[in-house]
Amino acid sequence: MSQRIVISLDAMGGANAPRAVIEGASIALNKNPNLYFKIFGNQQLIGNLFEQFPILKENYEFIETGTYISDDEQPIKALKNGVNSSMRKAIDAVKENAAVACVSSGNTGALMVMAKMVLGELPGIKRPAIVGVVPNLNGGTVMLDLGANAECDETNLFQFALMGDCFAKIILDKKSPTIGLLNVGVEQIKGREIEKKTYNLLKKSGLNFIGYVEGHDLTKGVVDVVVTDGFSGNIVLKTAEGTARLLMQIMKQGFRNNLSSKLGGLLAKKSLKESFKSVDPNVNNGAMFIGVNGIVVKSHGGAEAIGFANAINVAYDLAQRNINQEIIKELDILQGEMSLGQNIVEKIKKTSARILGIGS
Amino acid sequence: MSQRIVISLDAMGGANAPRAVIEGASIALNKNPNLYFKIFGNQQLIGNLFEQFPILKENYEFIETGTYISDDEQPIKALKNGVNSSMRKAIDAVKENAAVACVSSGNTGALMVMAKMVLGELPGIKRPAIVGVVPNLNGGTVMLDLGANAECDETNLFQFALMGDCFAKIILDKKSPTIGLLNVGVEQIKGREIEKKTYNLLKKSGLNFIGYVEGHDLTKGVVDVVVTDGFSGNIVLKTAEGTARLLMQIMKQGFRNNLSSKLGGLLAKKSLKESFKSVDPNVNNGAMFIGVNGIVVKSHGGAEAIGFANAINVAYDLAQRNINQEIIKELDILQGEMSLGQNIVEKIKKTSARILGIGS
């Protein structure tokens, strides 16, 4: 039997917790039988859920935590008051090497702050980011930052590109992922100062940087990785989600209009469902807090069991392929190969402790 | 008969020019018979199009311009070399009071630069913006800036809100449009410095400001006006367009999968088409360069005749309702009512000539 992969789960986060978490674990285990879960949560709320998914039996340990972080809790408050929460304990398990990765559908801000606080940054990485896969017909595009850093500088974006490259290699299984920088046009004169500065850094980086991409290129799948700041990434992601929801709503309405359309809807339903699966957020669920010294995967707050299982699969793949060692290695290579990289890494190493209050 | 409304048209801009322009004019005229067009373009390329739409007969004047601005021309080059282009002449007509508004489907950057150069800004307005309507099930949401200013400060965003308010009053026919500031969350601590500063200005403005909105609120139609910088507005708009295109593509694919789905598609086609009309970009076509001292409406580059007609209707409504006088009036009221507004207006009046090289 292959080596056991231990993943810690926050059983209490997200709209469908704890059911989606426990059921999701059982689905993931079915795919990867060498998974083992440390599940943190409230026994009273979990009830007899474990018994409903007997496949889990030999492959989990339940740890009672009593408290949990609510979805609307302020991150700083959560950090202060949530020392014994299911979320915190799941992250602690990664810190203590009791798990190789942690997965939660809970409060994004709280999870990010806790992960940074408990695990710290990877050596050389200035700012962790949220990275995920935006679905499209080309197998998906990795995008970061999805919202961890509202304001960034060019060295942040440069490091996002580097981390996105490693993430895409593992999750999209690409040898040399193409990388694009989000902008308002593809011409070199377009954009803000930060895009121009980042463009120049990426041009010299040795990464497979193809230049600027626009909002519509994301859904076209023009590149494997789209790099942007956390403000832009967040509004792009939410706009895409909102637009998709609106169109689905309109389509459903269209089918309800009259008898003919109702019959048409019935006849096409199965096939349409199949087609839309390729862009189902559940299928593409699982964003990583990349740059943190430990694997923390954020599952969508509204994820169902199948979605949570996919987030576990993402954590599994990232752990199996040693994402963080890959990032450190790539940073080292850049440091050796280009004086630019060296400057950035050196500068970051010196200043990260001061700026972030966290040692490098 | 009501007063004649003269609108100048650039017959040569956009992918479907000149047909979409000439045919679009005929459709608009059918709706508003007091329209009269000054049409600028190349007779050779227009051929016998005018004869194909006899309704135009008494209601247009054609002015041969020979040259026109191509879609990929650099704005600055277009400004320099395009003095006799159809686009430039259409703008000149507004400057010379020969037309109350101008409509073009051509090169956005060139049109913006020319409009600013020829018409100048409205007194007190620091930066013009691109404003348009994003379709949703609540009748659409006005958004600005859609891409004129990649980098903005809080006084720019504050003025965008003010101009968006006037635009929504006219185009959405709302008495007191609700205004939201785009951000990555609705809590007051969210976002960048610029969002926080703008929030404070808007809170005290007397506008119907409801606070922060997110990417998905745009398609939900949570507010009447969404304010953001030109970088964010542009990527949001293009992401929404790209996502909509992707979903339509997947839906069409879903209908093609098998016999049952094909039949379903045939039965539902008409009804679906009707439903999707509410979010058809053609129906919502027509963005304004707001803040410019004259009405310049940008039609989508890919607009068909019906879309171009809608852009003409937008120009017509804005001219009929004296949008620019409304903006000046609202700016004056703010100036009187709040010391804050006064500071901004005074500051802008003093510095706009220096900063923009254009007198106020």
Side-chain angles (χ1 to χ4, degrees), chain A residues 43-59:
Chain A
Q43 178 61 67
Q44 214 182 330
L45 292 168
I46 289 172
N48 71 343
L49 270 171
F50 287 114
E51 291 136 54
Q52 290 179 43
F53 304 99
I55 185 181
L56 288 170
K57 211 173 164 194
E58 303 286 314
N59 291 71

Side-chain angles (χ1 to χ4, degrees), chain A residues 322-340:
Chain A
N322 291 314
I323 174 95
N324 287 336
Q325 284 70 14
E326 287 298 316
I327 292 171
I328 294 169
K329 210 162 70 187
E330 190 140 345
L331 228 132
D332 277 346
I333 293 168
L334 279 176
Q335 191 175 11
E337 273 184 7
M338 64 193 264
S339 61
L340 174 76

Side-chain angles (χ1 to χ4, degrees), chain B residues 72-220:
Chain B
D72 55 359
E73 181 121 30
Q74 290 290 336
I76 296 300
K77 271 198 178 165
L79 185 66
K80 210 178 136 193
N81 304 330
V83 181
N84 293 311
S85 63
S86 54
M87 182 187 280
R88 172 63 183 265
K89 288 292 176 190
I91 298 171
D92 284 348
V94 176
K95 174 72 181 173
E96 293 153 7
N97 292 317
V100 292
C102 136
V103 184
S104 172
S105 290
N107 185 321
T108 310
L111 189 64
M112 187 74 189
V113 169
M114 277 187 190
K116 281 212 279 195
M117 180 68 191
V118 172
L119 302 168
E121 280 81 7
L122 286 176
I125 293 297
K126 200 171 168 180
R127 296 264 201 102
I130 303 177
V131 60
V133 178
V134 178
N136 54 45
L137 297 181
N138 273 359
T141 292
V142 165
M143 182 160 78
L144 75 168
D145 177 11
L146 296 178
N149 310 280
E151 263 158 314
C152 294
D153 65 21
E154 65 274 18
T155 60
N156 300 142
L157 294 191
F158 176 79
Q159 292 199 332
F160 295 170
L162 183 152
M163 296 193 288
D165 177 70
C166 294
F167 189 84
K169 278 176 180 158
I170 293 170
I171 295 299
L172 303 183
D173 209 15
K174 303 263 171 161
K175 267 202 178 137
S176 176
T178 51
I179 294 172
L181 184 61
L182 189 65
N183 203 346
V184 295
V186 295
E187 305 86 2
Q188 243 182 288
I189 57 150
K190 288 289 174 86
R192 304 169 297 187
E193 271 312 299
I194 183 170
E195 277 75 36
K196 290 168 194 161
K197 287 178 181 168
T198 309
Y199 185 100
N200 289 334
L201 286 179
L202 288 172
K203 217 45 197 158
K204 297 183 246 171
S205 69
L207 293 168
N208 193 359
F209 176 59
I210 63 115
Y212 292 135
V213 292
E214 301 184 66
H216 45 72
D217 292 329
L218 201 65
T219 41
K220 274 191 203 154

Side-chain angles (χ1 to χ4, degrees), chain A residues 184 214 238 254 257 260 267 271, chain B residues 184 214 238 254 257 260 267 271:
Chain A
V184 295
E214 302 183 66
K238 286 177 178 163
N257 277 348
S260 162
L267 286 167
S271 167
Chain B
V184 295
E214 301 184 66
K238 286 177 180 164
N257 278 347
S260 163
L267 286 167
S271 168

Side-chain angles (χ1 to χ4, degrees), chain A residues 89-143:
Chain A
K89 288 292 176 191
I91 298 172
D92 284 348
V94 175
K95 174 72 180 173
E96 294 153 5
N97 292 318
V100 292
C102 137
V103 184
S104 172
S105 290
N107 185 322
T108 308
L111 189 63
M112 186 75 191
V113 168
M114 278 188 189
K116 282 213 280 196
M117 181 67 192
V118 172
L119 302 168
E121 280 81 5
L122 285 177
I125 293 296
K126 201 170 168 179
R127 296 266 201 100
I130 303 176
V131 60
V133 178
V134 179
N136 54 44
L137 298 181
N138 274 357
T141 292
V142 165
M143 183 158 78

Side-chain angles (χ1 to χ4, degrees), chain B residues 9-10 13-16 20-21 24 71 87 102-108 111 130-131 281-282 284-289 296-315:
Chain B
L9 307 180
D10 167 14
N16 305 310
V21 176
D71 284 353
M87 182 187 280
C102 136
V103 184
S104 172
S105 290
N107 185 321
T108 310
L111 189 64
I130 303 177
V131 60
N282 253 330
N284 297 277
N285 186 36
M288 182 191 181
F289 288 164
V296 178
V297 170
K298 170 68 175 76
S299 161
H300 198 289
E304 305 280 356
I306 184 78
F308 197 81
N310 282 314
I312 293 174
N313 292 339
V314 167

